[in-house]
Amino acid sequence: MFDSAQFQGSDLRHVDFRGAWFHKANLSDAQMTSAQFGELPLLQHETWVMICVYSPDGKTIAAGLEKSKICVSSTSDWVRLYTLEGHSDCATSIAYSPDSKLIASGAQDCTIRLWDVSTGRCIHVLNDHDDYVGSVAFSPAGNQVVSASRDDTVKVWDVETGDCLHTLTGHDDEVHGALYSPQGNQIASHSYDRTIQLWDIETETYLHVLRGHKHTVNGIAYSPQGDRIASCSVDSTVRLWDVATGDCCHILTDHTDMISSIAYSPNGDQVASCGKDNSVRLWDATTGVSIHSLLGHNDSVRRVVYSPQGDLVASFGSDKTVRLWDTETGVCRQTFTGHSEEITSAVFSPKGDRIVSGSKDETVRLWDVGAGTSRHVSNAHARTINQVKLSPKGDRVATCSDEDTVRIWDVETGICRQTLRGHDDRVLCIAYSPQGNQLATGDYMSGNVRLWNTETGECIHTLTDHNHSISSITYSPSGEQIACGDGVTMRLWDVETGKCLHTYTLPYRLLQCVSVSGLVYSPDGSQVCCGAKFTVYVWDTKTGVLNHTLTGHGDSVNRVAYSPQGSQVVSVSKDTTVRVWDVATEECCHILIGHNVDISFVTYSPRGDQITSGGKDGSLRVWDMEARTCRWTLSGHRERITKIVYSSQGDMIVTASIDKSVRLWDVTSGQCRGVIQGFQDEVMDIDWMEGLSGVNYLATGCKDGMVGMWKVEGDKDRCDVSLHWTTMRGVLNVVGATIQNVQGLSQLNKQLLLQRGAVGEPVHLLRDAGKKLAIMASVVSELKAPLDKTEESPALVTGLSIEQWLEQGKSILRQDAADAVISIVRVIHGCK
């Protein structure tokens, strides 16, 4: 982690920078020959990438685009070789021949095309299908192609002639896919008709119809030995079938929703499946027993694929990440984040050292499989961070996520001090007691609230009366009470005994939020307030009586906050207004109009003289409470504001957004004093703590599970932000890094760094090598002189071997071009 590091002129040759954080680092004039970054630059396409495939020889990648084109790129230099054009609709399936010389593509235009990889020329158009072609595959020998179509048929084609050899009919509905057995003598197909059919290629007859699934069969896979088939279905089951008999050997039922993909491990001992329940599951292929349930994705998982060695399984889908799992331990070895939209395809390279992924964000990315193995943080959250809370003393930060655990981190070191376990589902909200000795947590499914001792990690009380998801938790100022909202009721609890003091049932559902701003105590603790539907409610915390009902909003109330003095409440709503209420009289004092969209957050300044509100469009407004006008409109965020906090002195505002950035604003001028970018996903929550000697701490939590601690230093004239620690370092970050006049950076690495936000122009390798050829010439002349005087070779009369002289030349160059120049020298002297 090298946030804002100064590396000017440093020798960084051969250094492994995979997954490094170089945010705003200065690398100018550094030596970076053979530096490794673990990634290649992305390939930018003009439309969605629907599918991407590695060639068996690993030399090319084919990417099928939404608008009918197929792009073939070289993996050595990432240059596009050909754009295959001819389909009139998008390609749904792409396959390489076993010898990597041909590509077969099936498309929505009802055709299959065979392409010559070396020339990019279409050699055959296969057009006997009457509907959308959903799948193509080469036979193991490479002489045939099988295709499956929505016209209910499977067809077998001769690669050399383009003739249709067989039309296999038997399915009663759309055929989703077909593939050859490892031996090449059978074809298996699966269909919307809920069956799998096994065909003998020679006799053109089906051997077995595998029946049992209750809904569409989404995928099938042969075992490497070809004796079994695994299938998955919309019916949430995996089935293992005996190919010889057609019998179902096992029905695997642990998934809770549609299963989208199935895969056999290379040695056939495991089966992997994934689906809409956000999980990946590994099964023993012989017994059908569940080995591991792999949880980490926070949205539907589209596909699973094993590495060629079988030690890893990759999964990807709607949460925009590719995850690598250890097949033996079930541990997530690496999470690749960088895509900004759903990932549609991912596959290992033939050697298993890289993964290529395509996405609806119109890019193809290539990842180094080894990049994150040693840098993975074992205690890091794997799913969305819902809240981050700094302890009152400022020495700890607590985080909760879409996992069932809560973690407490050391602010200074980033070490995970405690992992609190006990919830049965994702934890939506957390709150520290004012004394910092307790932490309250609320979960989604059961509606349970747990109170924890922060020193021992012991669960003191489990509050179980709530029947719905906990959306808000907050302690009273004295720490004696805790208020919890579950969307239907709000309850006040005695912290010492764990008993429910009061229950308030509302006519409308409480705001479903994960921030305690939806449920707040007055500064003196005598009242508690929340928003529900169009109304703000205020209760007496001692008697449980509803004291005030504040009405006037024309749509749902999103957030409420008390003024520091406690006499007023501010509320924001989907009706685009900010309303300030006098709590005692129930009158609306001010209606602040300026936002054009739904307002997502609001807070008072520490002195109560300002209110800052943020909208779902990223707009921010600072309101002067005395003048009742908008003092500043803060522009910079592009999407919904998730959190707004003031510094304790009230001179700075910090804002977070789902646009993957955090901004720091000067209250006096309204100017943006700092921007934290480089997050790989949405920033869900932030918290602020004033430190000593002008050093402040900012905690961030992101949708990809990253927790970050930032140092903020400066005064009214400057603001320096640096990353103190983070729980996720698997992705290269060079936003704002300076690479001016960097020496030895390859063209690919230059392209990668500039794509990732670096600035400046490195020295071009060949140009720099040319400048040093004159120096090389002196070495050459010294080589040539003794060679002219003696026939002794490779030893020289000077006592230095040719290799030693060449090493001197190489040390002079210090560039990737050195080997090429040295080869020239060898040719000059006749040295092979």
Side-chain angles (χ1 to χ4, degrees):
M1 186 166 59
F2 307 107
D3 196 282
S4 302
Q6 302 300 307
F7 286 119
Q8 302 98 309
S10 299
D11 187 349
L12 305 176
R13 290 171 295 161
H14 304 284
V15 177
D16 185 351
F17 290 120
R18 292 179 290 183
W21 185 283
F22 272 116
H23 184 260
K24 292 187 177 180
N26 190 339
L27 299 167
S28 57
D29 297 304
Q31 294 278 351
M32 300 192 73
T33 303
S34 300
Q36 300 177 50
F37 294 99
E39 301 174 39
L40 285 177
L42 60 83
L43 287 177
Q44 183 67 54
H45 294 288
E46 57 271 21
T47 58
W48 288 1
V49 180
M50 305 303 295
I51 186 169
C52 52
V53 183
Y54 240 110
S55 64
D57 63 9
K59 295 180 179 179
T60 61
I61 290 172
L65 308 184
E66 181 191 20
K67 300 298 183 182
S68 75
K69 296 179 181 179
I70 299 169
C71 297
V72 181
S73 302
S74 167
T75 58
S76 63
D77 54 14
W78 220 219
V79 171
R80 184 182 297 189
L81 301 176
Y82 305 107
T83 298
L84 311 182
E85 298 185 79
H87 286 296
S88 59
D89 210 333
C90 72
T92 55
S93 181
I94 298 173
Y96 275 92
S97 61
D99 61 7
S100 300
K101 294 181 178 180
L102 297 177
I103 288 175
S105 59
Q108 292 184 8
D109 64 4
C110 311
T111 69
I112 300 103
R113 287 176 178 261
L114 299 183
W115 312 84
D116 186 308
V117 173
S118 63
T119 65
R121 185 173 62 89
C122 180
I123 58 176
H124 292 301
V125 180
L126 317 179
N127 52 17
D128 282 2
H129 280 296
D130 298 324
D131 206 338
Y132 181 127
V133 178
S135 169
V136 292
F138 275 93
S139 63
N143 61 332
Q144 293 180 354
V145 166
V146 63
S147 60
S149 169
R150 285 187 178 180
D151 65 7
D152 305 353
T153 68
V154 175
K155 291 180 182 286
V156 180
W157 310 84
D158 185 280
V159 168
E160 185 176 354
T161 65
D163 294 336
C164 182
L165 302 176
H166 309 293
T167 297
L168 309 178
T169 59
H171 284 292
D172 298 326
D173 214 327
E174 301 171 6
V175 187
H176 288 173
L179 70 161
Y180 282 90
S181 65
Q183 295 76 22
N185 61 336
Q186 288 182 2
I187 288 174
S189 58
H190 61 97
S191 166
Y192 194 80
D193 67 7
R194 309 178 186 182
T195 69
I196 300 106
Q197 299 202 7
L198 305 186
W199 309 84
D200 184 285
I201 297 174
E202 293 300 322
T203 63
E204 202 175 337
T205 58
Y206 61 80
L207 302 172
H208 301 290
V209 179
L210 312 182
R211 305 181 188 275
H213 282 296
K214 306 301 182 185
H215 213 301
T216 304
V217 181
N218 280 338
I220 56 175
Y222 269 101
S223 66
Q225 298 78 21
D227 59 340
R228 285 199 176 185
I229 283 178
S231 61
C232 65
S233 168
V234 177
D235 68 10
S236 306
T237 68
V238 172
R239 291 175 183 254
L240 304 182
W241 309 84
D242 186 286
V243 169
T245 65
D247 294 336
C248 180
C249 307
H250 301 289
I251 303 174
L252 317 179
T253 59
D254 285 4
H255 280 284
T256 59
D257 208 331
M258 179 189 79
I259 306 174
S260 54
S261 175
I262 193 82
Y264 258 100
S265 62
N267 64 4
D269 63 343
Q270 274 189 7
V271 170
S273 59
C274 67
K276 203 172 180 180
D277 62 2
N278 307 353
S279 74
V280 176
R281 296 180 186 272
L282 303 184
W283 314 84
D284 185 291
T286 303
T287 65
V289 173
S290 177
I291 303 171
H292 297 296
S293 178
L294 312 180
L295 303 177
H297 287 285
N298 56 29
D299 209 333
S300 177
V301 187
R302 186 175 185 134
R303 192 181 173 197
V304 287
V305 57
Y306 277 94
S307 65
Q309 297 76 21
D311 59 331
L312 296 174
V313 65
S315 58
F316 63 90
S318 299
D319 70 356
K320 312 169 194 174
T321 68
V322 178
R323 294 176 185 266
L324 296 186
W325 310 89
D326 188 296
T327 56
E328 183 176 352
T329 65
V331 171
C332 182
R333 294 263 295 273
Q334 174 67 339
T335 301
F336 295 115
T337 60
H339 284 295
S340 59
E341 297 292 342
E342 177 183 359
I343 298 174
T344 55
S345 182
V347 64
F348 280 95
S349 65
K351 292 182 180 179
D353 57 340
R354 288 176 173 173
I355 287 179
V356 63
S357 60
S359 166
K360 289 184 178 180
D361 65 7
E362 304 179 0
T363 68
V364 172
R365 291 176 181 261
L366 195 62
W367 313 93
D368 189 330
V369 169
T373 303
S374 62
R375 292 179 178 267
H376 180 71
V377 180
S378 60
N379 287 318
H381 288 288
R383 306 178 73 178
T384 300
I385 302 295
N386 291 319
Q387 280 196 326
V388 293
K389 292 296 173 187
L390 285 158
S391 65
K393 293 181 180 179
D395 59 339
R396 297 287 187 268
V397 60
T399 57
C400 65
S401 78
D402 277 356
E403 302 167 317
D404 56 4
T405 60
V406 176
R407 290 176 168 83
I408 299 177
W409 312 83
D410 187 289
V411 166
E412 188 58 38
T413 66
I415 294 173
C416 182
R417 296 297 184 185
Q418 290 172 331
T419 300
L420 310 181
R421 305 181 187 277
H423 287 288
D424 297 326
D425 201 354
R426 53 189 174 129
V427 184
L428 298 182
C429 44
I430 53 177
Y432 268 105
S433 65
Q435 298 78 19
N437 61 331
Q438 278 189 8
L439 187 72
T441 60
D443 67 28
Y444 174 76
M445 186 65 71
S446 66
N448 288 340
V449 176
R450 291 176 179 265
L451 305 186
W452 308 83
N453 183 304
T454 55
E455 290 299 320
T456 65
E458 177 190 359
C459 181
I460 305 167
H461 298 295
T462 301
L463 316 179
T464 59
D465 287 1
H466 288 282
N467 296 316
H468 299 84
S469 170
I470 302 298
S471 56
S472 296
I473 294 178
T474 185
Y475 276 90
S476 65
S478 66
E480 297 174 351
Q481 283 185 0
I482 188 171
C484 309
D486 66 8
V488 175
T489 64
M490 186 193 69
R491 298 174 188 268
L492 297 186
W493 304 83
D494 184 283
V495 169
E496 185 176 355
T497 64
K499 293 183 178 180
C500 182
L501 302 174
H502 304 291
T503 300
Y504 311 112
T505 302
L506 296 174
Y508 305 109
R509 289 181 65 82
L510 278 167
L511 171 68
Q512 295 296 310
C513 64
V514 295
S515 170
V516 297
S517 295
L519 184 62
V520 290
Y521 275 93
S522 61
D524 63 4
S526 64
Q527 296 177 338
V528 67
C529 172
C530 73
K533 202 64 175 176
F534 304 162
T535 308
V536 178
Y537 296 93
V538 182
W539 288 274
D540 186 289
T541 57
K542 290 186 178 180
T543 65
V545 174
L546 178 63
N547 282 349
H548 306 289
T549 303
L550 313 179
T551 58
H553 279 296
D555 208 331
S556 298
V557 176
N558 285 338
R559 286 290 189 274
V560 294
Y562 267 98
S563 65
Q565 298 78 21
S567 59
Q568 293 181 342
V569 166
V570 63
S571 58
V572 294
S573 165
K574 286 185 178 180
D575 67 9
T576 74
T577 67
V578 180
R579 293 177 181 257
V580 182
W581 310 85
D582 184 294
V583 176
T585 65
E586 300 185 4
E587 293 181 1
C588 182
C589 310
H590 314 299
I591 302 177
L592 309 177
I593 298 175
H595 286 283
N596 298 317
V597 298
D598 189 348
I599 307 173
S600 54
F601 208 93
V602 69
T603 190
Y604 268 97
S605 65
R607 293 191 298 272
D609 58 337
Q610 288 182 353
I611 287 173
T612 299
S613 55
K616 288 196 172 179
D617 60 354
S619 63
L620 289 156
R621 283 173 168 76
V622 181
W623 308 89
D624 186 298
M625 295 312 299
E626 183 176 352
R628 305 181 187 181
T629 58
C630 180
R631 183 177 182 186
W632 305 115
T633 298
L634 310 180
S635 300
H637 286 299
R638 303 184 308 276
E639 296 185 68
R640 177 170 61 90
I641 303 298
T642 55
K643 190 70 173 290
I644 304 171
V645 295
Y646 273 89
S647 63
S648 61
Q649 302 301 316
D651 59 340
M652 185 180 292
I653 298 170
V654 187
T655 58
S657 167
I658 65 172
D659 67 4
K660 306 178 186 177
S661 73
V662 173
R663 292 177 178 263
L664 297 89
W665 311 85
D666 182 82
V667 170
T668 304
S669 65
Q671 296 298 309
C672 182
R673 298 181 61 190
V675 182
I676 305 176
Q677 293 175 312
F679 295 104
Q680 300 301 314
D681 215 329
E682 301 169 8
V683 184
M684 305 304 293
D685 195 21
I686 57 175
D687 202 7
W688 175 273
M689 178 188 69
E690 306 282 323
L692 301 175
S693 304
V695 179
N696 305 306
Y697 287 94
L698 175 69
T700 58
C702 296
K703 191 173 182 179
D704 60 5
M706 172 184 170
V707 179
M709 187 62 63
W710 307 80
K711 282 185 176 181
V712 182
E713 303 176 75
D715 50 33
K716 64 179 181 179
D717 298 320
R718 67 180 182 87
C719 182
D720 298 324
V721 182
S722 61
L723 182 61
H724 189 45
W725 55 261
T726 178
T727 61
M728 187 177 294
R729 291 179 241 170
V731 178
L732 178 69
N733 187 309
V734 292
V735 174
T738 301
I739 58 172
Q740 186 68 28
N741 294 327
V742 166
Q743 311 286 317
L745 201 62
S746 70
Q747 187 63 27
L748 280 177
N749 282 339
K750 169 190 171 181
Q751 185 181 351
L752 170 68
L753 298 183
L754 291 176
Q755 280 184 353
R756 295 299 178 85
V759 294
E761 181 64 27
V763 174
H764 195 278
L765 285 176
L766 294 181
R767 183 185 69 191
D768 191 53
K771 291 179 181 179
K772 296 186 178 181
L773 280 175
I775 304 174
M776 277 294 296
S778 65
V779 177
V780 172
S781 64
E782 292 191 51
L783 282 169
K784 185 172 176 56
L787 283 173
D788 287 341
K789 296 177 182 178
T790 178
E791 295 181 356
E792 296 179 20
S793 180
L796 304 177
V797 294
T798 57
L800 292 178
S801 69
I802 187 80
E803 277 69 26
Q804 289 172 318
W805 279 105
L806 292 173
E807 276 304 310
Q808 286 190 10
K810 191 170 184 178
S811 68
I812 293 171
L813 274 178
R814 302 292 191 192
Q815 301 294 334
D816 288 346
D819 292 331
V821 178
I822 289 169
S823 296
I824 295 172
V825 177
R826 286 182 180 273
V827 173
I828 291 173
H829 296 289
C831 300
K832 302 299 181 183

